[in-house]
Amino acid sequence: MSTQLDPLSLSADLLYAVKTEGDTDWLQDHLATLEQAHLSRALTSREGKLAFWLNCYNAYAQLLLEADPSSLEGSLLQRWKFVSRDRIPIGGVWLSLNDIEHGLLRCSKHPWGLGYLPRLLPSSFERAFRLPACDPRIHFAISHGAEHCPPVTVYSPADVDAELDIAVEWFLEENVGYDPKGDVATIPRLFRRYRGDFGGARGIIEFLREYNGIPAGARPSLEYEKVSGPPDLEFDVELEELRP
């Protein structure tokens, strides 16, 4: 029975099978039919929830892209549908990629609102299985195949914090520039899009220092990367631009 299988192992095995082009159907079936009581017993720790939902997000993002490779090439509305449609069955509940990222990993925060707005009316499932607080490092761990996405890693509860630290340092090394003469750090726009997750501008600078994105003691001004071409799956569109 599916309830006899460890949910944490199922999520890790699913992502590994996706990465190695193995058989995923039976793993998806077991995740879909997990009893919520069993899932609750397995996800008792912050580390367990982090590893489980990161693995589920990265696995299903790739599976959904394989099923519809054109998802990232259409209009903004098509891309929004890709992340917002409920097509991921886990524990008897249908979830979307947005549900996993913003509801479960970001502790019920709105996808827009610069990281300050709560996600309205979270479901009972979301309240039961979400992270106890938003860990901004998840932005450097989830992958959906767009530019600047991190390498896909299978996360384990025992090592998830160390693995996330590695993912953050890799991303910052690849995507952050620092000009010591002008004392300016050029950073990806995800820091602006989710700046509330980092604690505002001061929190972003502290984060960059902690993970060697800028020198220790530096207090630079922040400059966001310029956007060229259409927005990617992260919808690099500011909330103000969506208003009439």
Side-chain angles (χ1 to χ4, degrees):
M1 296 175 60
S2 62
T3 53
Q4 299 302 308
L5 299 179
D6 174 31
L8 291 163
S9 296
L10 284 172
S11 69
D13 290 346
L14 176 63
L15 182 53
Y16 181 78
V18 170
K19 285 168 59 71
T20 58
E21 300 183 355
D23 178 18
T24 65
D25 289 346
W26 70 276
L27 292 162
Q28 293 183 70
D29 289 343
H30 282 302
L31 283 167
T33 56
L34 278 170
E35 293 181 2
Q36 290 188 22
H38 185 55
L39 189 61
S40 181
R41 290 192 296 271
L43 303 185
T44 56
S45 68
R46 178 190 66 88
E47 295 83 359
K49 291 177 179 178
L50 257 178
F52 181 80
W53 292 119
L54 286 172
N55 289 338
C56 286
Y57 184 100
N58 287 335
Y60 277 101
Q62 298 306 312
L63 288 168
L64 292 173
L65 280 172
E66 289 174 8
D68 184 8
S70 64
S71 298
L72 299 183
E73 301 170 1
S75 66
L76 185 63
L77 178 59
Q78 288 175 304
R79 300 178 191 198
W80 179 248
K81 287 180 178 179
F82 175 76
V83 295
S84 62
R85 288 171 57 191
D86 295 338
R87 295 183 290 175
I88 303 169
I90 296 177
V93 173
W94 286 92
L95 303 171
S96 68
L97 290 173
N98 269 351
D99 290 331
I100 297 177
E101 178 180 2
H102 304 295
L104 295 157
L105 284 168
R106 294 183 64 229
C107 191
S108 299
K109 287 195 173 187
H110 203 282
W112 292 321
L114 306 179
Y116 293 104
L117 295 181
R119 186 170 147 105
L120 298 177
L121 303 176
S123 67
S124 58
F125 183 91
E126 184 173 308
R127 293 195 302 271
F129 296 109
R130 66 191 175 190
L131 269 292
C134 177
D135 187 332
R137 296 177 300 171
I138 66 104
H139 296 299
F140 311 97
I142 59 174
S143 182
H144 41 62
E147 187 179 2
H148 294 328
C149 280
V152 175
T153 299
V154 179
Y155 289 94
S156 65
D159 301 315
V160 65
D161 283 307
E163 292 163 345
L164 281 174
D165 286 344
I166 292 171
V168 172
E169 291 192 0
W170 174 88
F171 184 93
L172 297 186
E173 183 177 352
E174 293 290 320
N175 298 288
V176 171
Y178 176 66
D179 175 13
K181 292 183 180 180
D183 197 24
V184 175
T186 303
I187 58 178
R189 292 176 70 85
L190 74 83
F191 282 101
R192 182 179 183 181
R193 188 181 306 117
Y194 299 116
R195 64 182 175 220
D197 292 5
F198 295 91
R202 181 178 298 177
I204 291 172
I205 292 172
E206 291 175 356
F207 188 88
L208 293 173
R209 283 202 299 254
E210 180 179 358
Y211 290 101
N212 304 312
I214 58 176
R219 302 187 66 85
S221 57
L222 301 176
E223 184 175 286
Y224 298 97
E225 286 181 342
K226 300 295 188 294
V227 177
S228 60
D232 65 13
L233 184 58
E234 287 292 339
F235 308 115
D236 206 352
V237 179
E238 298 302 326
L239 190 61
E240 292 79 9
E241 295 175 356
L242 298 174
R243 294 173 178 159

